[in-house]
Amino acid sequence: MTTGLIPGGQTPDPRPSSTRPPHQRGDLTGQGALHVDDRPRSSVITARAAASFEPVGRSVATARAFVRDTLQGWGFADIVDDAVVLTSELVTNAVVHAGTHADVLCLRSADGVRIEVSDRYPEREIPLQGSLATMGSPDREGGRGLQLCAAIAGRWGVEYTPTHKQVWFQLDLPDRPVGTRTAGPSLPADLLPLADSRVRVAVVQIDRTGAISAWNEDAEELFGYSADQVTGKPLTDLAAWPHTPGTSTGIVEALQLSRWEGSYGIRGANGRVTPVYASHLRVRDTDGEPSTVCLLVRDHERAVLQTPSRGPASDPATTSDGQNADPFEVFIGSPAPDDLDGLLQRTVERARDMLDGDSAFLLLATDDETELEVRASTGLPSARQRFARVPVEAGPGRYGSARMPAVHEDLLAVPGAVPLLNGTGMRSVVTVPLKVEGRLTGSLGVAAEASGRYSNEEALRLQFAADRIALAVESARLGELERLRRGSLSFLVEASDLLAGTLDRDQTLALMAQMTVPTLATWCAVYTIADQASDPYLSYVLHEDEEFIDGIKSLLSKIAPPDPVPTPGARVWAAPAAAAHDAALRSSMRSLGLTGGPTHQVASGIGPTLATASAVGGETVVLPLVARNRVIGMLTLGKPTDEHFRQEILELAEDLSRRAALALDNARLYSERTAISQALQRSLLPPELPEIDGVEVEVIYRAAGEGNEVGGDFYDVFPISDGAYGFAIGDVCGTGPNAAAVTGLARHALRLLAREGLSGPAVLERLNSAILDEGARSRFLTLLYGEMRPQEDGSAELKVVCAGHPLPLRLRQDGTVEAAAEPQPLLGVMEDLELYEQTVTLDPGDVLLCVTDGVTERREGTRMLGDDGLADVLTTCTGLTAGAVAARIMRAVERFASDAPSDDMAILAMRVA
């Protein structure tokens, strides 16, 4: 089928100039000639819609749907039925009897609608004008289309050419007298829907791109945003749309539909989500630009917008025009919903109307056919019933099995026969199975509040309807499962990437919760178990509304945690719902003053307690977190009051829990090993620097590598004896733990040997022997070691040995920089070393700068900072404190190159005050 829609304007007469005049309504039984209609054929055409249909039987139903949707879109609901009947008959004549394509053209004017149906039979002769009796009779297979046009249409006609025939009819709009079009029964005031003192209807217009283009005062009052704040923003930024991964219609899809009604949430300026009931109408302006007008009211005021329920509908086997119809289309209507939820909801509504029931429900079987899951209902508390599960075989005999039709004339006589209807007020019910190729796929039921309403006759009618819909339901269910599987795989892949991206325990817990809420559950709690002897500990709680988190955490902390059972799969945990119910009951009693205390003392806590109880009062399930054959925690998922989990969601949550458990255990192991590593590394660092009279000492140390606190570079400043202090800065070959091991050996050996009273060369010679004794684990070491003695005149005397290390630099007060020692052989290479010490005197204001090669060998491409670059930076440090000197050197090193340092760095600055 191809269609086109052209707005507005004066449309020329589409007839060829050679055609004969149209027929006029007249006496079908007489033999007189056709009357000629001399009146103007049409007024100003304001819109047209055209479609072409292939010569196949299914095109008749498609043509009916095209005309129905077009006229309903134009607001001509009063003449839709007549137009569909006539179009169905005329298109049948074209595509079935003539066997050609059928072209349908709908023209809208202020007075009504003109519809033209054309076929292209190539061998038709132009008939001579004659008696109307040749149009046929009701008993004939063909010719009834013209009879119907004469009987129903205000004006009609037939036009011929050798290769073309066109039948047209015009339906005038009926007069619309002032008065009621639809109405509900009169109700007592206390039964009317509850609303605020003033009902506010937010009017929001959404443009082609999904952005807000209009926002009225009621919308500002309901949600707290001014029009300037939201204009141009996508509605999806404000809409909280409940969804399941891979299934259902989203807000973007809903905005593309011609009409839509339903519930969702709008996140207000205060961060709270306001549940709203919405009615969407898609329109277009005079330029053809489409947009969507959204009317929103608070959800409890939905009666303002909600379309009234349909009245009982008949169940004909054929259409009203006498043509055989598709049984599926007869029952479900046309066009059929293209999503499973819409199809199931349409099914229960039509089943209820067909049997004039008060409620209806449809359940789908699980993969193993052991349970049925409620997927759609009408006239029942759907929030409570949705996704509830019941066994297929509930008892012995045919009435206890969903595989056979069953009629219960009075449920009070057989309590619990249909668990879904307990407490709903329903007395009689008829249920029938949905089967595909002999396999049970679901169950359809209709119930009434009166007893004795249904018999075997109604069961047969409902079974016939179930047989019509079963294959379509199963096909849509398999499609939904496929989409859900694809969505689940995408969800698990993203979850795995996120969980693998961190080794932090707290962040892993937060990711687990954020991935489940709100995608899988309304709220969740994570319990962790430190070891087998420890009890589960509540580690993290999250709810889709942050205001409930503290309340849920408080509630869960007052009840015993779930047992850490390693059995895979989700198990129901009833304790939170029971505790929430008890807390709500106590709060309600206190609010009524039944505890003897003053009401005002507890009134402030009533709201949060009741709200928390509502948030936690639904189904709660627990999934074990098992990693490396040990239960390390539990993932708890919850729904609001009386809601249930789908089996597919529980299976997806189980897959997620396995991945999350491994990620959480990896984070635990990493945290433990990191703690051990950091403790060992901190033991290799020197304690706090000593206070030296008259000398400022500052150290900056950076170990290369993530998580490393100690590398191959090291430093130390320590007291040797009264008035003497040792200092050292060294660099072990390499980085990481192996280098850090030699670092610990060197630092502790220096302290021990220096305090034995040995001179600097003797200390380094013995350290060289200790390094060589390490054998294959030994590494060569560059080391600057010295002893400092402050003098009475304010200067400081230094004795320095520089064993293969970058030379220390001396900064004088006049800004000159010079080396303070000479280079000597490094340690860990040769057994026999001949080292000597050099004496340096630092005057007041002088600075001695000692660095490792990570500073001087800092590179950017082919450039290197080097000894000269370091000296240039040091010349700018005249008059600075030791801390300021070290900081300036480090900033210069970091700015020299953009890459992160690849080598350890240590800076030791000493300044004589």
Side-chain angles (χ1 to χ4, degrees), residues 72-299:
Q72 287 179 342
W74 288 347
F76 292 168
D78 294 330
I79 59 175
V80 164
D81 292 338
D82 289 346
V84 169
V85 168
L86 296 178
T87 302
S88 177
E89 185 66 36
L90 297 177
V91 172
T92 299
N93 291 339
V95 302
V96 175
H97 301 305
T100 75
H101 283 73
D103 298 326
V104 179
L105 175 64
C106 301
L107 302 174
R108 182 184 72 183
S109 66
D111 302 328
V113 171
R114 173 185 168 112
I115 297 179
E116 301 176 356
V117 179
S118 304
D119 63 44
R120 299 169 234 170
Y121 192 65
E123 298 178 358
R124 178 180 294 111
E125 296 180 357
I126 302 177
L128 298 176
Q129 181 173 335
S131 172
L132 285 177
T134 60
M135 289 194 303
S137 68
D139 297 328
R140 292 183 57 190
E141 180 65 22
R144 288 179 298 193
L146 300 184
Q147 284 186 313
L148 289 173
C149 288
I152 297 176
R155 299 170 59 214
W156 66 279
V158 183
E159 300 172 357
Y160 283 97
T161 70
T163 59
H164 180 274
K165 182 181 102 171
Q166 179 188 94
V167 181
W168 63 269
F169 61 87
Q170 180 157 340
L171 297 174
D172 298 327
L173 290 177
D175 294 334
R176 299 178 183 267
V178 177
T180 302
R181 304 301 298 169
T182 61
S186 300
L187 293 175
D190 56 350
L191 295 181
L192 294 175
L194 181 64
D196 292 341
S197 58
R198 177 192 169 197
V199 176
R200 296 188 179 274
V201 180
V203 181
V204 183
Q205 191 155 2
I206 311 300
D207 63 18
R208 179 195 293 269
T209 65
I212 297 172
S213 58
W215 184 270
N216 73 340
E217 294 180 358
D218 279 359
E220 180 177 346
E221 184 67 24
L222 284 174
F223 310 122
Y225 299 106
S226 65
D228 294 338
Q229 291 177 290
V230 297
T231 301
K233 291 185 177 180
L235 181 63
T236 52
D237 289 355
L238 305 180
W241 189 274
H243 67 283
T244 301
T247 65
S248 76
T249 301
I251 181 68
V252 177
E253 291 80 5
L255 292 174
Q256 298 301 317
L257 300 177
S258 59
R259 285 182 181 272
W260 184 88
E261 284 188 27
S263 299
Y264 50 92
I266 297 293
R267 195 175 305 279
N270 58 2
R272 299 283 308 271
V273 175
T274 301
V276 298
Y277 189 82
S279 175
H280 296 177
L281 173 63
R282 193 155 175 82
V283 299
R284 57 185 180 138
D285 59 20
T286 54
D287 296 327
E289 183 69 17
S291 62
T292 302
V293 179
C294 306
L295 307 181
L296 312 175
V297 297
R298 294 184 181 93
D299 194 63

Side-chain angles (χ1 to χ4, degrees), residues 816-883:
T816 58
V817 176
E818 61 185 6
E822 297 177 354
Q824 300 185 55
L826 51 78
L827 308 181
V829 178
M830 299 179 293
E831 294 185 359
D832 297 328
L833 291 179
E834 295 183 0
L835 302 175
Y836 59 91
E837 61 184 9
Q838 296 174 273
T839 301
V840 179
T841 300
L842 296 181
D843 296 326
D846 288 355
V847 176
L848 184 71
L849 177 66
C850 311
V851 300
T852 58
D853 60 4
V855 174
T856 56
E857 294 180 1
R858 178 73 164 150
R859 295 179 180 275
E860 174 70 20
T862 59
R863 298 186 306 119
M864 186 173 70
L865 180 62
D867 296 334
D868 294 338
L870 179 63
D872 292 340
V873 176
L874 185 58
T875 58
T876 65
C877 299
T878 305
L880 300 180
T881 64

Side-chain angles (χ1 to χ4, degrees), residues 256-441:
Q256 298 301 317
L257 300 177
S258 59
R259 285 182 181 272
W260 184 88
E261 284 188 27
S263 299
Y264 50 92
I266 297 293
R267 195 175 305 279
N270 58 2
R272 299 283 308 271
V273 175
T274 301
V276 298
Y277 189 82
S279 175
H280 296 177
L281 173 63
R282 193 155 175 82
V283 299
R284 57 185 180 138
D285 59 20
T286 54
D287 296 327
E289 183 69 17
S291 62
T292 302
V293 179
C294 306
L295 307 181
L296 312 175
V297 297
R298 294 184 181 93
D299 194 63
H300 65 272
E301 298 171 345
R302 61 169 57 202
V304 177
L305 299 181
Q306 193 167 18
T307 301
S309 302
R310 299 184 183 90
S314 60
D315 184 34
T318 59
T319 60
S320 59
D321 57 11
Q323 294 298 313
N324 294 327
D326 185 347
F328 168 79
E329 183 180 310
V330 170
F331 178 66
I332 205 64
S334 177
D338 57 0
D339 64 301
L340 179 61
D341 289 338
L343 178 61
L344 298 183
Q345 192 61 37
R346 180 85 66 85
T347 299
V348 296
E349 291 173 357
R350 294 297 172 89
R352 178 200 61 186
D353 296 345
M354 185 179 71
L355 297 188
D356 195 17
D358 297 311
S359 64
F361 52 89
L362 192 149
L363 302 86
L364 293 184
T366 55
D367 290 339
D368 56 5
E369 295 185 24
T370 60
E371 288 186 314
L372 295 168
E373 187 177 64
V374 179
R375 289 299 303 272
S377 65
T378 181
L380 295 175
S382 58
R384 187 186 68 174
Q385 303 291 348
R386 188 166 171 79
F387 301 126
R389 291 176 293 279
V390 297
V392 171
E393 307 293 343
R398 61 171 295 178
Y399 292 107
S401 174
R403 302 181 187 276
M404 298 292 292
V407 177
H408 294 277
E409 294 183 350
D410 193 348
L411 293 176
L412 294 182
V414 190
V418 184
L420 292 177
L421 300 181
N422 291 344
T424 61
M426 299 297 156
R427 293 284 299 276
S428 56
V429 62
V430 53
T431 60
V432 295
L434 275 71
K435 293 184 177 181
V436 175
E437 297 181 352
R439 183 173 60 86
L440 180 70
T441 62

Side-chain angles (χ1 to χ4, degrees), residues 43-61:
S43 58
V44 176
I45 302 300
T46 57
R48 66 165 60 193
S52 179
F53 303 94
E54 297 178 354
V56 294
R58 184 66 180 173
S59 293
V60 179

